[in-house]
Amino acid sequence: MLSSLLAIDFNANRKPFLLHPFRYLSFTLLLLLLPLSLAMAEEKTQVDKIFERLESGEPMTREAINSDLALLSKLIATDDVARNEKLQLLKCWDQSTETDTDIALAVKNTSQTLTNIPPTASTHFITDLMLCHSWFLELSGDMDGAMEGYNLSVKRAYEHEDLKLIADSRSLRGALYSYIGDFSAALDDLITAQDLYESLNLTGWANINLADMATSFRRYGDPQSAIRYYNKLKALYLKNNNQEQAMYVTSEIGLALDELGEHQQAIDHFLLSYQYFKEHQLKKVAATMATDIAFSLIKLHRLNEAEKYLTEAAAVISEKDYAAYSFMKLFTANIKFQQARYKEALAELEQGEKAFRTLQNDRGLTQLLQLKSDVYAAMNNLPAAYGALQEFVALTKKVDDNSFSHQTTELKVKFDTSRIESENQRLIENQNLKEQELALLEKNKSLQHIILLLTGFILTIVSIFAYKQVQRNRQLQVIALTDYLTKLPNRRHIYAQAAQYFQQALKQQSPFSVIIFDADHFKKINDNFGHELGDRALLTIASAGKALTGNKDLIGRIGGEEFLILLPNTDAERACELAHQLQAHIRRLGAEDLPAELKLTVSAGVATLAPQPNTENIYQDRDFASLLKRADDALYEAKNAGRNCVKAAKNEATCEN
């Protein structure tokens, strides 16, 4: 990828690559071939260095990019299929996005390329091209088409274990999830991408992805965490003398300061970015900064100043610049509302609402609907005000559900840059060795007689590669099903296990219980004691769960601080006993391992698969999802009952001590 705003934590131990005799034979082969392929090696090395530079994600000038692409076109032979594919992908991502016409042309070009892919094209080429097309769809405002493409790209990248494409596709999808307000999915994608970019030593892409992570924290309602990440990025960009990227980050810090209520500080940050982009003739970016300045001025009731900035922005931002246009209209309507120009405010809101709905930006639309209701109320049009307010309430609930259901009610994800360990580097070294071996075999096409003499040696090498690939696949499969912090099965893994136990219980007509539990007041633990101590608390809970089950495959982490325990052949009464034992064990371990002022408790919900009353073979639950839902309802009942207690599902025996 070249200009996308582009994430799985793959850690694998790597044993010695070859036994000593094979290593010496490999050196002998290299010495035999080196004199015969030196000229070709020099040319290929230059090409590969250019590719590495262009694909690193590090900032480059437009002149440098054009120069490198032109040089690649000259150096790469027409029959070099692999490198021609890489060059075509670079050109795909490098298409201009300066105007709406440019973006429409890029969408058209990528659509045509996708419909004319040759049958010999590699899977990597097809997937990356699909990802490129989806990116331009997002820029054009087709969010549904973009998300569909991202989902398919993620699926294909995993199927073919393409580590870089996994990171790229999850980073892009995470940024889109963040924009539309699904922060749980966004942070899951972005943190996965961040780990992998760090493992692959792709610092440029890691920095871009980190900016998206920080923005997700800001949108989620944690501007303090966002500012920490932004400041780290800004320092890196300034250290590398990348003033433009530093100015982009400065504007993001301004947005976070706005959300903290520090509007004057926000204006100071926006002005730095605004002046820089204006001086460098980046008119559209400067216009976007002007709308941000206007928002802060409105908050400070400096309406005349705000209106001047919005008038300046309106001369540059068109209705097809959906993101900037939607907020520009919203802010303009706010000013007109405060000036009692209600009809003009409604006209502005109508235009902004159309843009928000096109983008499916529910976050922005909720702000607009609230203002719309206030405008109608000021005009004494109470039915219209009530209608807008009803839609506002329904949409706010939808946004809240997207943000907080499924995984956790208080999602606080911690990204730790020190988590990249030596296993990741060894995995990358193993991949590099494989690429070097493939390149060596390609160079030997003109040396068939030597290859024939060494056929037995090469077959041995291939066998070793195949064996190591099997090992690597197994390691990747385990890692993909394991939670990165607790090393317990993740949600996908534990749910798959649960479904098997559920079907087995139905078949054997045996009881099957589940306990779903999470830490009480976990947000306060993170806020009062820090994320590091929060992680220790999660590890303490995981340790207690493993001790209770005696089998780590029967307990999994399914959300931020939420866990699930599977209890095959266990009736409701015994499940309740085990839930209380779990609570006691967590309290005891917490007292031993955590500060005295941190009282670690959990709430739990219990549900059991059993026949309905007065029946033998009619079960209340038809699938595991139904059983889990009842356990989850019981957990919420425990929370509502004051926390630090166990509740059984409805129509089951009580779990009270």
Side-chain angles (χ1 to χ4, degrees), residues 65-252:
I65 293 173
N66 291 339
S67 175
D68 279 350
L69 291 176
L71 186 56
L72 284 175
S73 298
K74 293 180 180 179
L75 291 177
I76 298 174
T78 56
D79 61 346
D80 192 339
V81 177
R83 287 180 174 81
N84 274 300
E85 284 189 349
K86 292 177 70 174
L87 177 58
Q88 190 172 351
L89 288 171
L90 286 174
K91 290 180 177 179
C92 176
W93 288 104
D94 189 47
Q95 295 179 85
S96 175
T97 58
E98 291 296 320
T99 66
D100 298 331
T101 303
D102 291 337
I103 294 172
L105 180 60
V107 172
K108 180 181 178 181
N109 290 339
T110 51
S111 296
Q112 290 176 346
T113 306
L114 281 169
T115 57
N116 295 290
I117 293 177
T120 56
S122 68
T123 303
H124 175 91
F125 175 78
I126 298 172
T127 305
D128 203 354
L129 186 62
M130 183 187 310
L131 195 61
C132 178
H133 177 64
S134 302
W135 165 243
F136 288 118
L137 285 177
E138 180 179 345
L139 293 183
S140 72
D142 184 0
M143 301 304 175
D144 289 335
M147 184 62 76
E148 182 180 354
Y150 292 155
N151 288 336
L152 186 55
S153 297
V154 170
K155 179 176 180 293
R156 292 175 67 95
Y158 271 108
E159 287 174 350
H160 298 278
E161 297 177 9
D162 194 325
L163 304 187
K164 174 63 164 54
L165 272 181
I166 290 173
D168 290 344
S169 54
R170 295 199 69 172
S171 181
L172 273 174
R173 187 176 69 176
L176 181 54
Y177 271 134
S178 173
Y179 182 79
I180 64 178
D182 192 343
F183 304 117
S184 297
L187 290 171
D188 183 45
D189 271 345
L190 292 171
I191 289 178
T192 297
Q194 190 71 24
D195 287 346
L196 193 51
Y197 281 137
E198 295 278 2
S199 298
L200 295 171
N201 200 29
L202 294 171
T203 306
W205 296 122
N207 289 344
I208 292 171
N209 188 79
L210 187 59
D212 285 328
M213 282 179 56
T215 299
S216 294
F217 276 113
R218 175 178 63 76
R219 289 169 173 165
Y220 173 74
D222 187 0
Q224 293 94 340
S225 295
I227 290 174
R228 285 201 305 271
Y229 290 131
Y230 286 140
N231 283 328
K232 175 184 175 183
L233 268 176
K234 185 176 180 180
L236 287 172
Y237 286 133
L238 291 176
K239 181 180 178 181
N240 295 327
N241 199 28
N242 189 341
Q243 190 71 16
E244 182 173 316
Q245 291 298 325
M247 287 298 101
Y248 277 113
V249 176
T250 299
S251 67
E252 294 292 341

Side-chain angles (χ1 to χ4, degrees), residues 394-409:
L395 192 59
T396 300
K397 183 178 184 302
K398 175 187 173 184
V399 171
D400 290 343
D401 288 344
N402 283 341
S403 300
F404 304 116
S405 65
H406 306 303
Q407 292 189 20
T408 174
T409 57

Side-chain angles (χ1 to χ4, degrees), residues 498-627:
Q500 293 180 5
Y501 283 121
F502 184 93
Q503 294 301 323
Q504 181 180 346
L506 284 178
K507 183 177 180 181
Q508 298 177 355
Q509 297 186 6
S510 59
F512 172 52
S513 298
V514 296
I515 302 174
I516 185 170
F517 64 98
D518 69 5
D520 294 327
H521 303 294
F522 190 73
K523 180 180 183 297
K524 292 183 179 179
I525 294 176
N526 277 338
D527 291 344
N528 297 334
F529 298 95
H531 289 286
E532 184 175 355
L533 204 58
D535 282 355
R536 283 176 55 190
L538 292 176
L539 290 171
T540 298
I541 293 173
S543 178
K546 285 189 286 188
L548 180 76
T549 63
N551 181 352
K552 78 169 188 177
D553 289 330
L554 294 178
I555 176 174
R557 183 183 179 193
I558 60 174
E561 67 270 17
E562 195 169 17
F563 297 78
L564 175 66
I565 290 180
L566 310 180
L567 299 172
N569 299 310
T570 304
D571 59 21
E573 182 178 354
R574 178 57 178 161
C576 287
E577 293 176 3
L578 291 172
H580 286 294
Q581 291 178 22
L582 174 68
Q583 283 188 309
H585 196 31
I586 289 173
R587 285 194 297 269
R588 184 169 62 255
L589 286 179
E592 295 172 357
D593 300 334
L594 301 172
E597 60 270 29
L598 198 165
K599 305 300 182 183
L600 183 61
T601 64
V602 298
S603 301
V606 179
T608 301
L609 175 67
Q612 293 185 8
N614 303 320
T615 67
E616 293 184 358
N617 297 318
I618 301 176
Y619 288 84
Q620 185 173 354
D621 305 299
R622 294 185 177 181
D623 52 27
F624 168 68
S626 173
L627 179 65

Side-chain angles (χ1 to χ4, degrees), residues 361-612:
N361 186 345
D362 291 340
R363 294 179 299 104
L365 190 55
T366 55
Q367 299 177 48
L368 184 144
L369 289 170
Q370 187 175 30
L371 178 59
K372 187 176 181 180
S373 177
D374 292 341
V375 173
Y376 277 126
M379 298 173 69
N380 291 321
N381 189 344
L382 298 185
Y386 179 70
L389 188 61
Q390 277 188 311
E391 188 175 0
F392 163 77
V393 171
L395 192 59
T396 300
K397 183 178 184 302
K398 175 187 173 184
V399 171
D400 290 343
D401 288 344
N402 283 341
S403 300
F404 304 116
S405 65
H406 306 303
Q407 292 189 20
T408 174
T409 57
E410 289 290 342
L411 178 62
K412 287 286 183 182
V413 184
K414 173 178 176 283
F415 174 69
D416 181 4
T417 56
S418 68
R419 280 199 296 124
I420 307 305
E421 301 176 352
S422 59
E423 292 86 352
N424 292 25
Q425 185 58 39
R426 292 188 185 126
L427 175 63
I428 305 305
E429 290 173 357
N430 189 27
Q431 182 177 348
N432 290 338
L433 285 171
K434 181 178 179 181
E435 292 173 355
Q436 292 169 15
E437 185 66 20
L438 292 173
L440 182 60
L441 291 175
E442 183 181 75
K443 294 172 185 176
N444 290 341
K445 290 178 181 178
S446 62
L447 306 172
Q448 293 296 325
H449 60 287
I450 296 178
I451 295 175
L452 289 173
L453 292 173
L454 298 172
T455 299
F457 169 77
I458 294 173
L459 288 175
T460 303
I461 295 289
V462 172
S463 298
I464 293 173
F465 266 108
Y467 173 72
K468 291 184 69 62
Q469 183 67 20
V470 171
Q471 285 186 317
R472 178 169 167 271
N473 289 345
R474 291 174 179 171
Q475 291 170 334
L476 288 173
Q477 184 178 14
V478 170
I479 292 169
L481 298 175
T482 302
D483 174 63
Y484 72 92
L485 175 64
T486 63
K487 307 308 177 187
L488 294 176
N490 60 17
R491 181 173 59 181
R492 180 173 60 178
H493 188 187
I494 197 69
Y495 280 6
Q497 292 283 95
Q500 293 180 5
Y501 283 121
F502 184 93
Q503 294 301 323
Q504 181 180 346
L506 284 178
K507 183 177 180 181
Q508 298 177 355
Q509 297 186 6
S510 59
F512 172 52
S513 298
V514 296
I515 302 174
I516 185 170
F517 64 98
D518 69 5
D520 294 327
H521 303 294
F522 190 73
K523 180 180 183 297
K524 292 183 179 179
I525 294 176
N526 277 338
D527 291 344
N528 297 334
F529 298 95
H531 289 286
E532 184 175 355
L533 204 58
D535 282 355
R536 283 176 55 190
L538 292 176
L539 290 171
T540 298
I541 293 173
S543 178
K546 285 189 286 188
L548 180 76
T549 63
N551 181 352
K552 78 169 188 177
D553 289 330
L554 294 178
I555 176 174
R557 183 183 179 193
I558 60 174
E561 67 270 17
E562 195 169 17
F563 297 78
L564 175 66
I565 290 180
L566 310 180
L567 299 172
N569 299 310
T570 304
D571 59 21
E573 182 178 354
R574 178 57 178 161
C576 287
E577 293 176 3
L578 291 172
H580 286 294
Q581 291 178 22
L582 174 68
Q583 283 188 309
H585 196 31
I586 289 173
R587 285 194 297 269
R588 184 169 62 255
L589 286 179
E592 295 172 357
D593 300 334
L594 301 172
E597 60 270 29
L598 198 165
K599 305 300 182 183
L600 183 61
T601 64
V602 298
S603 301
V606 179
T608 301
L609 175 67
Q612 293 185 8

Side-chain angles (χ1 to χ4, degrees), residues 622-637:
R622 294 185 177 181
D623 52 27
F624 168 68
S626 173
L627 179 65
L628 182 66
K629 176 65 168 58
R630 292 197 298 115
D632 195 52
D633 291 343
L635 170 61
Y636 278 101
E637 184 180 351

